[in-house]
Amino acid sequence: MNDLDAINLVGRLVHAAGGRALLVGGCVRDKLLDLEPKDFDIEVFGLSPEKLEEVLGAAFKLDLVGLSFGVIKLHNFNIDVAIPRRETKLGLGHKGFKMEYDPTLSLTEASARRDFTINAIYSDPLTGEILDPWNGRVDLETRTLRHVSEHFKEDPLRVLRGMQFVARFDLTVSPETIQVCRDMTPEGLPPERLFEEWAKLLTKGVKISKGLNFLREVGWVKYYPELMRLIGCEQAPEWHPEGDVWNHTLCCLDAFAKQPKNEDDLIVGLAVLCHDFGKPSTSFFDKRKGRIRSLGHDDAGVEPTISFLKRLTNEERLLKEVPPLVKEHMRVFSMWKSKSGEAAIRRLAARVIRIDRLLRVAAADDEGRPPFPSEPESIEWLRSEAERLAVLDSAPKPILMGRHLIEKGLKPGVHFGEILAKAYDAQLEGKFKDLEGALKYVGLS
């Protein structure tokens, strides 16, 4: 049984018990946009939580972890089943609500708590009937993002949800929604919830610039000082006709959004977002050259990149793998210009972990200067060289390992690290290519 079969079965079981099950939210929105939904939300009217659990439990294995929030997950399916609820704002943030479940609520009352009209459209899985109490279909057709009701302002996370929806569906935000968002503050939202919205912006956005300009328009960019400093940071117009660093970054992100998608999108997208964070602190007008310069902005961008990421996440992989891409994003062009040798390319691969990711950042940076056409020659040169050296999608793996030293009779200790580091450095320089050569290099052959 697939998700659609399970949804139909839920509808029939609930109907037989005297209730009504309706699809709602993103799955209905995506279907109306001719997109394939991946997750399904069902809202059940007319059944108590206990009765709903009994009805569903007869046909499905249930995950009741979310039951305290009125949500039942169907095990092995991408389906959440919920009961309409009333919410009372009691405290700050996304979770500062008292919730009471009321299966007798009308459709309009139940949907008034939803965020945007395009997410407040219902569909009956048994009949196909569309129920649209807030005219969300009209907003979908006109690509308008509009909040549902006055309850919108009670959950500040919805501002960031608006940011990623604008980017994903290329929407225009209604003036009244912009005004409501301007009057809202983050209220101490947990970083993990913030990060979910930023991740969707970067990995699902088709017009990322619109999402970030929305953030700027509603005044929320001030909560991200690393981004705020890009606004008004001037660049040499002969190199950057697109304008200041803010506009350049947005152009780069839109170019990134057009790249083929893969599992590295979040890391690459964050690196593109942060790649010029060092310009505000390094830009100056060079009287001798007669233009604005940003010497060392690649190195200077590492610290603000880390501070920005730490505001959003404590995920070690991102904190480790994004900053090197920012630090090295200028190297693609400089290495091509100087026709760097094999050792330099291997060292670059060791620093950035994945040269193919760096090439994606460089490509977005190159394309982020409209109306200038892209100049991919440097990118293709480094790609070809990295492929030839087998370091395009991974750092060079050390040939000499600790176990090899033990096999040669050495006892483990601090000196192991010194020997291995010296050997790896020599390996990157091309002084040996196999284990025999490595052992000979450290005097153990």
Side-chain angles (χ1 to χ4, degrees), residues 350-364:
R351 293 196 299 272
V352 302
I353 303 174
R354 296 275 300 269
I355 284 181
D356 56 345
R357 293 175 182 164
L358 182 65
L359 293 175
R360 290 183 65 187
V361 176

Side-chain angles (χ1 to χ4, degrees), residues 310-328:
K310 284 185 174 180
R311 192 174 292 109
L312 297 180
T313 181
N314 59 5
E315 190 173 330
E316 290 185 9
R317 183 181 177 221
L318 296 176
L319 292 170
K320 176 184 177 183
E321 298 183 15
V322 173
L325 296 175
V326 172
K327 182 180 176 65
E328 305 290 346

Side-chain angles (χ1 to χ4, degrees), residues 347 419-432 441:
R347 288 187 180 280
I419 295 171
L420 295 174
K422 181 180 178 182
Y424 188 60
D425 189 65
Q427 175 188 331
L428 296 178
E429 286 292 327
K431 293 182 178 180
F432 57 81
Y441 178 80

Side-chain angles (χ1 to χ4, degrees), residues 44 51 125 165 182 189 236-237 242-243 250 257 264 269 311 368 406 415:
V44 173
K51 184 63 176 180
F165 283 134
R182 283 177 180 162
L189 287 168
E242 73 282 0
L250 267 54
D264 293 324
R311 192 174 292 109
I406 294 173
H415 60 294

Side-chain angles (χ1 to χ4, degrees), residues 26-61:
C27 61
V28 180
R29 176 200 67 220
D30 289 354
K31 191 69 174 176
L32 292 172
L33 291 172
D34 293 324
L35 302 174
E36 193 66 36
K38 295 182 179 179
D39 303 295
F40 300 88
D41 290 320
I42 297 175
E43 199 159 16
V44 173
F45 294 81
L47 298 184
S48 68
E50 297 77 17
K51 184 63 176 180
L52 179 60
E53 182 181 346
E54 175 190 333
V55 167
L56 296 179
F60 298 97
K61 182 179 179 181

Side-chain angles (χ1 to χ4, degrees), residues 123-250:
S123 173
D124 190 320
L126 299 183
T127 66
E129 180 186 1
I130 297 294
L131 301 101
D132 185 11
W134 300 97
N135 296 316
R137 293 184 75 177
V138 173
D139 286 338
L140 267 186
E141 291 169 2
T142 59
R143 283 295 198 273
T144 301
L145 190 71
R146 191 189 316 276
H147 67 287
V148 169
S149 73
E150 71 279 1
H151 297 299
F152 178 90
K153 62 186 177 183
E154 296 173 356
D155 184 357
L157 186 66
R158 289 170 168 176
V159 176
L160 293 184
R161 282 174 62 78
M163 172 188 71
Q164 55 102 347
F165 283 134
V166 165
R168 285 169 60 187
F169 303 112
D170 193 7
L171 306 173
T172 298
V173 187
S174 70
E176 59 269 26
T177 297
I178 288 174
Q179 187 57 55
V180 169
C181 292
R182 283 177 180 162
D183 295 336
M184 297 167 68
T185 66
E187 292 186 4
L189 287 168
E192 63 272 14
R193 293 308 308 272
L194 297 172
F195 187 63
E196 286 179 22
E197 307 307 324
W198 281 95
K200 289 176 181 177
L201 170 79
L202 295 171
T203 60
K204 298 184 178 184
V206 297
K207 198 72 173 175
I208 300 174
S209 60
K210 291 191 72 170
L212 288 174
N213 272 328
F214 164 72
L215 203 68
R216 178 181 179 179
E217 190 171 7
V218 301
W220 272 49
V221 72
K222 67 185 177 186
Y223 300 116
Y224 303 94
E226 300 84 4
L227 283 173
M228 185 77 174
R229 285 192 284 267
L230 304 184
I231 299 172
C233 181
E234 296 183 4
Q235 304 183 105
E238 60 268 35
W239 291 97
H240 288 281
E242 73 282 0
D244 64 9
V245 182
W246 171 266
N247 284 332
H248 169 63
T249 299
L250 267 54

Side-chain angles (χ1 to χ4, degrees), residues 15 113 118 179 211 234 256 305 344 358 397 399 401 409 439:
H15 179 74
R113 289 286 179 181
I118 62 172
Q179 187 57 55
E234 296 183 4
F256 157 73
T305 294
L358 182 65
K397 293 180 174 58
I399 294 173
M401 309 289 285
L439 291 170

